[in-house]
Amino acid sequence: MREYKQLKLCYTPVYTFGEEYLKIAFNNATSAHRHIKDLRADHNILAADIIGIAESRLTHSDPDDTYALGDAVMYRNAYTGRAQNLIRPFHGLLIYVKPRVRVLEFSKYTTRNFESIYACIQWKQLPIQLYIIYKAPSCTLQQLQMHLCNITIDYDMQSRVIFIGDFNIDFTQQQNKTFQAFMLDTFNCSQFVTEPTTDSGLTIDLIFANFVLTNVHTVNAYWSYHKIIFTVI
């Protein structure tokens, strides 16, 4: 029977898009330290060309090869202090980039309630400015806006720009639409995630871009409360 019929999936997997596309994914993994085996076993994570991971819970002393994903190069924004009482930090960002994507620039930014990784990448001879974002629940909207302005001092309005991450701002709530207006006015970026991104139905993992993204999807991640969000260019 499998020779004649194929069950149509209720979601769009990352791995259904071919090598002609650039696939950018993000997931709040709620501890890459604990779930690295789950990440390595997930076909959607492995199919992405760029994978941003929030709440990695890694420290600067954790070796890169322990948390490798295939042949992707890992860049990290890890906790540099000393974990208290042998408890791992509750934050940290990772970004994995496959060899076919060229990284032109890399930088990171950290405060007590906000983290980011910036990577300027080259895809098909065109640069793309990519910002991986994590905003802690304690970070106010005003603080978030200040941090975003701080990390985009060299922002190039003429280049393609993507902000992707866990913003902890629920876009199902009308009062949070003011942040969308801020992103549009300040960076000329619109928000493209239209589905819930958590198990409880919140839309807090977001993708902003200053160009139209026609392929934006979510995929369940059994190891996390957050879904994988991804876009295809």
Side-chain angles (χ1 to χ4, degrees), residues 43-62:
H43 294 293
N44 291 291
I45 291 290
L46 296 178
D49 298 300
I50 300 172
I51 311 106
I53 301 292
E55 292 191 28
S56 69
R57 303 197 69 179
L58 301 191
T59 68
H60 71 287
S61 60
D62 288 315

Side-chain angles (χ1 to χ4, degrees), residues 55-75:
E55 292 191 28
S56 69
R57 303 197 69 179
L58 301 191
T59 68
H60 71 287
S61 60
D62 288 315
D64 286 356
D65 56 358
T66 303
Y67 300 96
L69 284 179
D71 61 351
V73 178
M74 182 177 75
Y75 301 85

Side-chain angles (χ1 to χ4, degrees), residues 92-193:
L93 285 177
L94 301 174
I95 180 173
Y96 295 90
V97 183
K98 287 189 175 176
R100 74 192 195 105
V101 179
R102 184 181 176 193
V103 178
L104 303 176
E105 295 179 51
F106 166 79
S107 63
K108 55 189 178 180
Y109 176 94
T110 303
T111 71
R112 293 181 62 184
N113 56 16
F114 178 88
E115 299 169 298
S116 71
I117 286 177
Y118 165 73
C120 181
I121 63 170
Q122 188 175 47
W123 174 251
K124 294 182 177 179
Q125 307 304 315
L126 293 175
I128 298 176
Q129 298 179 77
L130 178 65
Y131 295 88
I132 310 295
I133 303 294
Y134 174 74
K135 180 189 94 65
S138 61
C139 182
T140 66
L141 183 60
Q142 291 73 25
Q143 289 173 327
L144 172 61
Q145 293 173 353
M146 177 192 69
H147 293 317
L148 289 173
C149 290
N150 287 341
I151 67 174
T152 54
I153 294 175
D154 298 323
Y155 182 84
D156 182 3
M157 293 285 287
Q158 304 305 315
S159 295
R160 291 188 170 191
V161 180
I162 297 175
F163 296 85
I164 182 171
D166 180 358
F167 286 79
N168 268 306
I169 297 175
D170 184 14
F171 261 53
T172 65
Q173 301 296 318
Q174 188 62 36
Q175 65 266 27
N176 290 327
K177 297 297 176 132
T178 57
F179 179 66
Q180 187 168 12
F182 164 81
M183 293 297 291
L184 186 60
D185 294 341
T186 308
F187 304 112
N188 195 30
C189 287
S190 301
Q191 205 286 121
F192 290 93
V193 177

Side-chain angles (χ1 to χ4, degrees), residues 20-39:
E20 66 272 25
Y21 295 100
L22 176 67
K23 302 171 284 289
I24 302 173
F26 171 85
N27 178 241
N28 183 330
T30 61
S31 182
H33 169 71
R34 174 178 293 181
H35 298 298
I36 185 60
K37 290 183 179 179
D38 300 310
L39 295 171

